[in-house]
Amino acid sequence: MIKIVKDTNPKIREKSVEVPLPLSKEDAEFIEEMMKYLKLSQDPEYREKHPACREGVGLAAPQAGRNVRMLVISYANPTEEDPNHVTEYELVNPRIIVNSIKKTYLQGGEGCLSVDEEHPGYVYRDFKIVVEAYDHLLGKKTHITARGYDAIVLQHEIDHLNGVLFYDHIDPKDPFKKIPGSVAV
Ligand code: CO
């Protein structure tokens, strides 16, 4: 079972390496294991039995103990057409190829499975991005256009592959500063 690497471990700050494609059996099993862990983290019964496990919507490989460019994302994302829609990715070598000038941020601030302490403040991210990656769930290369919350989650997880944590983006002098034109989520 995966043991989450916390920000007290310097490994979390390392830049992760590209993953060879097609995926090796070992890498495929690892990303599937990450998704399994993420889904367990969303199960209240599991969390009750494993108090160290916290609920997450995304997990990057460095958090699971390997500094390789892989991440998983899963959360309920109801739309008008599909009230049961779940946004789910198993991304390998993700790359942001388009980004907006416009910013967005979570009103309640961000959290992270690797960060136990509170870090109050706004984390500004690009409102719209396009990500190019191999998606192991689809079994092919994909382009994801994401805005608002979806874009925030992707940028948070991709940051992990570069050793960056959410609180690096908080202005220590003015954690709740307002960027004009930015969109609160
Ligand atoms: Co995180």
Side-chain angles (χ1 to χ4, degrees):
M1 180 51 87
I2 282 166
K3 191 171 177 289
I4 297 295
V5 175
K6 301 285 181 178
D7 62 348
T8 45
N9 183 338
K11 292 288 277 182
I12 205 78
R13 290 300 191 171
E14 276 178 25
K15 191 173 158 67
S16 289
V17 297
E18 294 268 322
V19 178
L21 288 167
L23 278 190
S24 68
K25 191 164 168 281
E26 185 198 3
D27 288 338
E29 281 171 5
F30 186 68
I31 199 165
E32 288 160 18
E33 191 66 24
M34 284 166 56
M35 183 58 97
K36 213 166 98 187
Y37 180 88
L38 185 61
K39 293 209 165 159
L40 278 176
S41 87
Q42 296 168 355
D43 177 354
E45 256 177 64
Y46 180 85
R47 286 203 309 277
E48 203 165 309
K49 284 186 221 131
H50 302 83
C53 179
R54 282 165 44 219
E55 184 171 9
V57 296
L59 181 69
Q63 298 180 276
R66 283 186 64 200
N67 289 94
V68 292
R69 303 189 81 80
M70 300 201 287
L71 62 88
V72 297
I73 285 171
S74 175
Y75 53 91
N77 201 1
T79 62
E80 246 169 60
E81 305 87 70
D82 183 3
N84 299 315
H85 185 253
V86 176
T87 292
E88 214 160 72
Y89 306 112
E90 291 182 355
L91 301 186
V92 179
N93 302 333
R95 212 158 57 87
I96 296 171
I97 55 169
V98 178
N99 61 293
S100 66
I101 302 295
K102 188 158 127 183
K103 302 291 180 194
T104 185
Y105 64 101
L106 286 181
Q107 229 150 6
E110 292 189 19
C112 179
L113 295 178
S114 295
V115 180
D116 289 335
E117 285 166 8
E118 295 277 328
H119 291 270
Y122 295 144
V123 177
Y124 285 98
R125 304 209 179 260
D126 299 336
F127 175 76
K128 181 190 167 185
I129 55 170
V130 178
V131 174
E132 182 184 86
Y134 175 84
D135 190 341
H136 183 53
L137 278 179
L138 302 174
K140 61 178 185 186
K141 192 172 143 183
T142 183
H143 287 88
I144 302 160
T145 302
R147 293 176 184 79
Y149 184 78
D150 301 330
I152 290 170
V153 176
L154 277 162
Q155 286 168 87
H156 178 117
E157 298 310 330
I158 291 171
D159 264 359
H160 275 299
L161 307 182
N162 298 317
V164 175
L165 296 170
F166 75 87
Y167 52 78
D168 300 345
H169 297 290
I170 299 173
D171 184 344
K173 288 193 205 80
D174 189 5
F176 293 99
K177 75 174 174 198
K178 289 274 165 55
I179 293 185
S182 61
V183 180
V185 171

